[in-house]
Amino acid sequence: MRAMSKGVLGAVLTALVVVGAGTAAGAVGDGAGDPAGALAGAVAGGAAVGGVAAVAAGAEADLAHHGHVSLWDGRVGVWLVTENHGPSDVADATVRLAFSTPMEGGQELPPGCLWSSARVVSCRTGALPDGGAAGELALDLRALGRPQELTVDVSTAWRAGGVDRNSFNDRHRVLVLATGDPYVF
């Protein structure tokens, strides 16, 4: 029963990130008001969210994730920026970080981020205008044990409608060795 409750809680938290609860650290937008209500109102009324119009179904928006990952003494550091190369604005998106090694439980994440499992973190980017970027997302995590290497899969889990015909710049698999060096993607 307890495992089922955790699964239900995880699904509910994931849904909150998808509909826009919270604001990613340094994300574009004013962060004021009720983001979930603003997103619902924008979809219903065709209005803008945080000054950015929602992407119409079938419109193209090229999201890109860039940054670096480091591993040292069982600690994992992730620094990431999400950009929109257009041509359409994106009202909101979610970036997914999947680790090959489970992370220690009980670690706090920045606002707008949640644990989808012991190996997966999902973070809301906020509004991304054409040619705009979300502020830097920084994670400082502890891996379970002291792995000598791990992989991190970075991908767009969700975008507020639209199509991304260039998925090469928003999907990365990074092999990280326990050297403390930044592995760039």
Side-chain angles (χ1 to χ4, degrees):
M1 181 69 171
R2 184 175 182 163
M4 188 164 84
S5 295
K6 285 184 178 181
V8 170
L9 178 60
V12 168
L13 290 175
T14 300
L16 286 174
V17 166
V18 169
V19 298
T23 302
V28 174
D30 63 7
D34 175 20
L39 182 58
V43 171
V49 176
V52 177
V55 175
E60 185 174 353
D62 181 20
L63 298 186
H65 308 294
H66 300 290
H68 64 276
V69 182
S70 296
L71 174 63
W72 71 100
D73 295 326
R75 296 197 72 85
V76 180
V78 180
W79 296 269
L80 172 116
V81 173
T82 299
E83 300 172 309
N84 178 9
H85 297 294
S88 300
D89 297 338
V90 174
D92 206 353
T94 302
V95 61
R96 180 179 183 267
L97 304 164
F99 303 93
S100 61
T101 301
M103 299 293 123
E104 284 186 9
Q107 298 181 70
E108 285 197 40
L109 297 172
C113 294
L114 60 83
W115 289 101
S116 299
S117 73
R119 296 175 190 246
V120 178
V121 174
S122 298
C123 296
R124 176 179 178 237
T125 65
L128 296 162
D130 175 17
E136 182 177 275
L137 171 67
L139 298 175
D140 182 11
L141 305 172
R142 291 179 309 281
L144 198 58
R146 293 178 59 140
Q148 293 303 300
E149 67 180 36
L150 59 78
T151 59
V152 181
D153 289 321
V154 180
S155 62
T156 300
W158 177 84
R159 74 183 69 62
V163 176
D164 188 344
R165 290 184 175 90
N166 180 15
S167 63
F168 294 111
N169 57 1
D170 73 333
R171 295 175 191 223
H172 307 282
R173 174 169 277 177
V174 186
L175 173 63
V176 185
L177 304 178
T179 61
D181 295 321
Y183 289 83
V184 177
F185 58 90

